[in-house]
Amino acid sequence: MKVFVTGANGFVGSYVVARLLANGHEVFASSRTGDLSAFNANKNYRFIQVDFSDPFSLHDAFEFVQPDVVVHSGAMSKPDDCELKQPDAFDTNVFGTVQLLLNAEAYKSFFIYLSTDFIFDGEKGMYKEEDKPAPVSYYGKTKMDAEEAVMEYQHGWAIARTSFVYGKPLYGRSSFITMIAEKIKTRQPFNVVNDQLRTPTYVTDLANGIAAIVEGRKEGVFNIAGKDVLTPFEMAQRVAAYLGISDHLISPVTKDEFKELAQRPLKGGLDIRKAIAELQYQPVNFDEGLRETLG
């Protein structure tokens, strides 16, 4: 199966590429930046440098690949950056998704979109697939708007929503867990929010869930997240315990004390029962994911 993956240099995208290659698919990885991967020796791997918000560049890429499946994991994903640079966030997250859908339509490609629990307001928590979005940040709004575009696609689509992805980066920027581990080990003072709930998702589990959607052509919305409900500070505490460091300088704060530019949902997190039943999705618990990340 020919699979076109956006955001292939990103944290999640790189794991999706690795999983699909391991499962024997022909993977066309794409990113705005040059190839960072270690997959070039794999005969099923091709890299295409393309900006998916550029219609002309994207048209040429699709004409070359003619994909059976598109996995759209590329995004402007830092909520504060999206709040500060709203036109850029719209171009990347909404306009770029629409351009991908238009090109996928020409080849009747199955389309998978990676989304987030940030489309919800955080009043309820543990959101199900059918719960109504009500984002509290511009980032969440762009992801909701893109979801709505995907839901109008006529040739088979799936939306994989996730929450607080962590793991060992293959390349690029650190994840929260690897960043906080470094601050704990070097005794750097750092404040971590303790009044926001998430279902932290081990990145390998997320990639496996996306691969299951690809291979089963499973349509609809799926929550692909972790099984534990934790605050970021509780995650940091688990990191410190794993490292055996008690004299760290990590301190709990409220969201009001932390003063982030973009509002975050207080009670996030996703109910994963549908994915367990329909995708045979089996995520590790947080402590096991932590061992895999830092071991």
Side-chain angles (χ1 to χ4, degrees), residues 165-183:
V165 184
Y166 70 95
K168 185 183 298 183
L170 296 183
Y171 29 82
R173 68 176 188 238
S174 295
S175 71
F176 172 81
I177 297 301
T178 54
M179 178 273 291
I180 211 73
E182 186 61 27
K183 291 188 181 298

Side-chain angles (χ1 to χ4, degrees), residues 202-260:
Y202 182 46
V203 65
T204 296
D205 289 335
L206 177 55
N208 290 343
I210 290 171
I213 295 172
V214 169
E215 288 156 6
R217 295 244 178 171
K218 297 287 189 177
E219 297 192 32
V221 181
F222 294 92
N223 291 339
I224 310 292
K227 58 173 70 170
D228 299 277
V229 183
L230 298 166
T231 70
F233 180 70
E234 287 170 339
M235 296 179 219
Q237 286 181 306
R238 300 262 188 114
V239 173
Y242 173 81
L243 295 172
I245 297 173
S246 58
D247 60 340
H248 59 79
L249 300 176
I250 305 298
S251 303
V253 293
T254 67
K255 73 174 182 65
D256 293 332
E257 292 171 312
F258 201 64
K259 290 182 169 49
E260 294 173 296

